[in-house]
Amino acid sequence: MSQPITLTDEQRDFRAVVRQFAADKIAPLAAETDRTGEYCWPAFRALQSMELTGLSYPVEYGGSGASLVDQAIVTEELAAACASTSLMFLISKLGMLPVLNFGSEEIKQRYLPRIVSGESQASYGLSEADAGSDVASMTTRAERDGDDWIINGSKVWITNAGISDLYTIFARTSADRHAGITAFIAEADWGVHIDKLETKLGMKGSPTGVIRFEDLRVPDSHRLGEVGEGFKVAMHTLDRSRPTIGAQAVGIAQGALDFAIGYMQERTTFGRPIATNQGLQWMAADAAMKIEAARNLVYKACALADEGDPRDELSMAGAMAKAFASDVAMEVTTDCVQFLGGYGYTNEFPVERMMRDAKLTQIYEGTNQIQRMVIAKHLLG
Ligand code: COS
């Protein structure tokens, strides 16, 4: 594996700016967003006004050309304030990675500037009701019709469904399990129907839905990669996105621990702050250790992606970062609820929201059991 990475002074300064922005503009909206379960447009507009929607896109499409490490820094700071907002920051990048890495120049010119400005948002249409972990079992199909493809089928667990106007869609173009899948990019108003929005445990400010295509006509120019290359496009994309889910998990955990530490220093029982209890001190120390270890795995995986993955390590490093960080987030946020006692269990304090939000990071972009399969495959073949 590559060397551990240290942030540059510029990255530390950037982190401080984003931390202040998140505290001022995002954190105040978090509780209400969680309570109403509505997409928080003021938070999205704030990201836009800070030019964060274009952060990690190449300068030739109007973006800032920032690295994946930079993207992780922003994700962590946003997630510490509001996990749903960090997801609205991440989701279009997931949807656009296949365009960036496999789209034609014409397609990049057409869509990336819209994403950078925040005029458009994108979703990732991979999972199906019977093909979640087992991607290659998908049944959504695309059939060639002259210069177009006609897509029929449905996708589930689609983050940002109904908000996004662009959808990356993976569809079966032949019966070959892996080599029979092809990727496309489609615009919502060509016929992407929203069938259902889920009611979820957490991450409530980010809509998750079922989308359906009935004879959705997509020009061949909107194919991403070669015919039959879609499974690899999907995996290549997830390899470059999972580290940022790790960053989100680190942010949620850090946000909860920071809040709990403040609380423990204020809250007195038996005539002294509860922070003076060694039992709680050791739990807090364990939490801080685990968060730091997770953060380092995340930075390392992001740095590998930025280097272009020269030694074919990213798949495993990304899986490690995502699984470890999200397990840490679940553990730490659960402990933070415990630190606050009964108050931690109420929505007057943010830690119960963070605990509910953390749960999703163990599930999406591949369950942590799938991440362990990916790691084991790299270890054992
Ligand atoms: N990058 C490029 N190619 C990859 C790859 C990767 N990360 N992982 C696998 N491949 C290739 C393999 O090399 C193999 O290629 P050949 O057929 O040329 O040999 C092909 O893809 C099939 O690989 P494999 O046999 O490992 O595929 P499986 O069907 O066993 O699936 C897992 C592997 C389980 C890892 C995959 O389906 C997966 O990641 N599932 C979870 C999906 C997920 O994260 N869903 C969340 C949706 S987005 S919110």
Side-chain angles (χ1 to χ4, degrees):
M1 284 261 206
S2 62
Q3 296 301 308
I5 80 147
T6 313
L7 296 190
T8 62
D9 288 345
E10 202 184 2
Q11 283 173 319
R12 286 174 193 281
D13 291 347
F14 177 57
R15 182 171 65 184
V17 169
V18 179
R19 186 169 294 174
Q20 194 59 52
F21 162 78
D24 293 345
K25 304 283 189 206
I26 305 299
L29 304 169
E32 182 68 0
T33 298
D34 179 62
R35 197 185 61 75
T36 61
E38 281 171 16
Y39 188 81
C40 187
W41 282 105
F44 185 77
R45 299 287 174 234
L47 297 182
Q48 240 182 330
S49 69
M50 275 289 277
E51 298 184 2
L52 291 175
T53 47
L55 181 84
S56 50
Y57 296 90
V59 285
E60 56 266 40
Y61 307 108
S64 310
S67 66
L68 201 63
V69 172
D70 296 327
Q71 194 185 322
I73 291 169
V74 173
T75 304
E76 184 183 332
E77 295 306 327
L78 294 176
C82 173
S84 292
T85 301
S86 70
L87 186 50
M88 68 169 69
F89 167 69
L90 286 177
I91 188 59
S92 289
K93 182 74 184 294
L94 176 65
M96 281 295 117
L97 274 169
V99 168
L100 272 166
N101 293 315
F102 300 95
S104 67
E105 190 51 39
E106 184 200 336
I107 289 296
K108 290 183 201 177
Q109 294 285 357
R110 180 163 178 170
Y111 293 120
L112 293 175
R114 284 163 49 168
I115 294 282
V116 165
S117 69
E119 177 195 340
S120 281
Q121 295 192 51
S123 290
Y124 195 63
L126 181 67
S127 301
E128 298 185 2
D130 294 315
S133 293
D134 181 9
V135 172
S137 288
M138 72 172 59
T139 57
T140 291
R141 62 187 192 284
E143 279 159 11
R144 192 76 199 236
D145 182 33
D147 286 342
D148 298 336
W149 292 85
I150 308 295
I151 303 183
N152 281 286
S154 128
K155 298 283 175 181
V156 302
W157 316 129
I158 304 305
T159 301
N160 227 32
I163 299 290
S164 290
D165 52 331
L166 299 175
Y167 291 81
T168 294
I169 301 167
F170 295 86
R172 181 157 293 294
T173 45
S174 83
D176 284 337
R177 236 177 95 71
H178 296 99
I181 296 171
T182 304
F184 303 90
I185 177 86
E187 299 187 18
D189 56 13
W190 293 350
V192 176
H193 305 286
I194 312 298
D195 267 2
K196 178 188 174 196
L197 290 175
E198 308 290 349
T199 303
K200 311 194 299 284
L201 176 71
M203 223 56 104
K204 289 181 182 255
S206 170
T208 306
V210 177
I211 61 174
R212 179 175 42 87
F213 327 108
E214 267 175 41
D215 293 335
L216 170 68
R217 184 172 286 274
V218 178
D220 187 52
S221 59
H222 285 58
R223 177 166 42 79
L224 306 172
E226 299 301 321
V227 173
E229 206 188 10
F231 186 86
K232 288 181 183 174
V233 172
M235 294 301 124
H236 183 277
T237 299
L238 290 169
D239 285 347
R240 282 148 189 82
S241 184
R242 285 173 179 158
T244 61
I245 298 302
Q248 181 180 56
V250 168
I252 296 170
Q254 188 67 63
L257 184 61
D258 288 347
F259 186 88
I261 285 173
Y263 180 90
M264 287 193 284
Q265 288 166 335
E266 294 284 317
R267 173 76 175 165
T268 58
T269 57
F270 306 104
R272 56 192 169 82
I274 61 171
T276 59
N277 293 320
Q278 194 178 53
L280 300 189
Q281 289 174 355
W282 287 10
M283 284 168 73
D286 278 346
M289 260 193 292
K290 288 173 189 165
I291 293 171
E292 195 53 28
R295 181 178 288 119
N296 278 286
L297 279 180
V298 167
Y299 285 166
K300 191 164 179 172
C302 291
L304 270 176
D306 289 332
E307 287 167 17
D309 190 21
R311 293 169 298 280
D312 196 21
E313 299 163 320
L314 177 58
S315 230
M316 180 164 80
M320 285 179 171
K322 190 271 187 193
F324 187 82
S326 57
D327 286 348
V328 164
M330 198 63 241
E331 207 179 317
V332 167
T333 54
T334 305
D335 281 351
C336 288
V337 169
Q338 193 71 18
F339 287 142
L340 271 70
Y343 291 110
Y345 201 62
T346 72
N347 67 3
E348 280 178 47
F349 295 90
V351 287
E352 61 83 34
R353 180 189 85 234
M354 292 164 164
M355 185 177 98
R356 288 184 284 105
D357 290 345
K359 187 65 208 170
L360 185 55
T361 64
Q362 293 182 301
I363 298 172
Y364 66 2
E365 294 209 16
T367 65
N368 282 1
Q369 289 66 38
I370 290 290
Q371 310 307 323
R372 286 171 171 86
M373 276 173 60
V374 171
I375 296 165
K377 196 161 188 172
H378 279 261
L379 293 175
L380 306 163

